[in-house]
Amino acid sequence: DTAVSQTPKYLVTQMGNDKSIKCEQNLGHDTMYWYKQDSKKFLKIMFSYNNKELIINETVPNRFSPKSPDKAHLNLHINSLELGDSAVYFCASSHGTGLAKNIQYFGAGTRLSVL
Amino acid sequence: GENVEQHPSTLSVQEGDSAVIKCTYSDSASNYFPWYKQELGKRPQLIIDIRSNVGEKKDQRIAVTLNKTAKHFSLHITETQPEDSAVYFCAAILTGNQFYFGTGTSLTVIP
């Protein structure tokens, strides 16, 4: 029943590993996002997809690759994990059009710890 | 791109007092300014927003004001309660879906 769901909720892994975080929304939204929230709580946008097409790609290492198989899903794959990747990653979605187009609905977050 | 600054980074108030958080933005093309509340260990959730054609908006104990000329906007919480304790984020949105969040304000309401 959850509007924006992401899995897993916690992810603990070793440096150098490759991992994926999945995100799904059942709100019928056109736009999905990935954010990174570091230990200082700063919330920074990483990617934005609209109808499966990339529209925002902030300065993010190439090790991060989003994949959108359809407009309800936006997964985040991370290669060669580094200590600095440890953070909480939030997926979000929004309508993309109309008066409510900018209202973002966040998932519960994935806490990634790289050891 | 946009640059959003938020102050203060931490704020403590006594229960019942008011709290004010201020944000400034750099790009005059920004046209939508939401505020999100993030409780400890939870996801950010929208609490109030304002568009560039409006100067003030109020919803019960919370209000937001926007000064387009000065490029700043503020969140006002009156009669604060312990459950208002959280991290608050402002954001400015350029055309399309370019979201830029402020650095957050950790609000503590002391009972």
Side-chain angles (χ1 to χ4, degrees), chain B residues 32-92:
Chain B
Y32 175 67
F33 307 91
W35 286 87
Y36 284 79
K37 176 184 180 182
Q38 186 179 23
E39 296 176 1
L40 187 63
K42 301 280 182 70
R43 72 193 76 191
Q45 290 190 296
L46 178 73
I47 54 171
I48 196 168
D49 56 10
I50 193 167
R51 299 194 181 273
S52 58
N53 58 348
V54 176
E56 184 174 357
K57 185 176 178 180
K58 192 172 180 180
D59 182 4
Q60 299 182 337
R61 295 187 299 109
I62 58 173
V64 58
T65 58
L66 170 65
N67 184 325
K68 282 178 60 180
T69 304
K71 287 189 273 190
H72 67 69
F73 56 113
S74 302
L75 177 71
H76 304 253
I77 307 174
T78 58
E79 300 171 32
T80 53
Q81 300 167 4
E83 51 265 38
D84 294 330
S85 296
V87 178
Y88 291 81
F89 292 94
C90 64

Side-chain angles (χ1 to χ4, degrees), chain B residues 1-48:
Chain B
E2 177 61 276
N3 181 36
V4 180
E5 294 190 0
Q6 182 172 347
H7 300 279
S9 57
T10 59
L11 180 59
S12 291
V13 298
Q14 291 289 334
E15 184 177 357
D17 287 350
S18 295
V20 180
I21 303 170
K22 298 181 179 180
C23 287
T24 60
Y25 60 100
S26 59
D27 196 325
S28 57
S30 291
N31 56 18
Y32 175 67
F33 307 91
W35 286 87
Y36 284 79
K37 176 184 180 182
Q38 186 179 23
E39 296 176 1
L40 187 63
K42 301 280 182 70
R43 72 193 76 191
Q45 290 190 296
L46 178 73
I47 54 171
I48 196 168

Side-chain angles (χ1 to χ4, degrees), chain B residues 87-100:
Chain B
V87 178
Y88 291 81
F89 292 94
C90 64
I93 286 78
L94 287 170
T95 54
N97 295 298
Q98 299 177 61
F99 264 74
Y100 297 89

Side-chain angles (χ1 to χ4, degrees), chain A residues 79-98:
Chain A
N79 289 328
S80 303
L81 278 156
E82 299 177 357
L83 292 175
D85 297 332
S86 296
V88 179
Y89 291 83
F90 284 99
C91 175
S93 71
S94 67
H95 271 290
T97 58

Side-chain angles (χ1 to χ4, degrees), chain A residues 6 22 26 28 45 49 56 58 64 67 75 78 83 96 113:
Chain A
Q6 53 183 108
K22 295 185 177 181
N26 62 6
I45 191 166
Y49 268 72
I56 293 174
E58 292 292 315
F64 290 80
K67 286 185 171 52
N75 303 323
I78 316 169
L83 292 175
S113 298

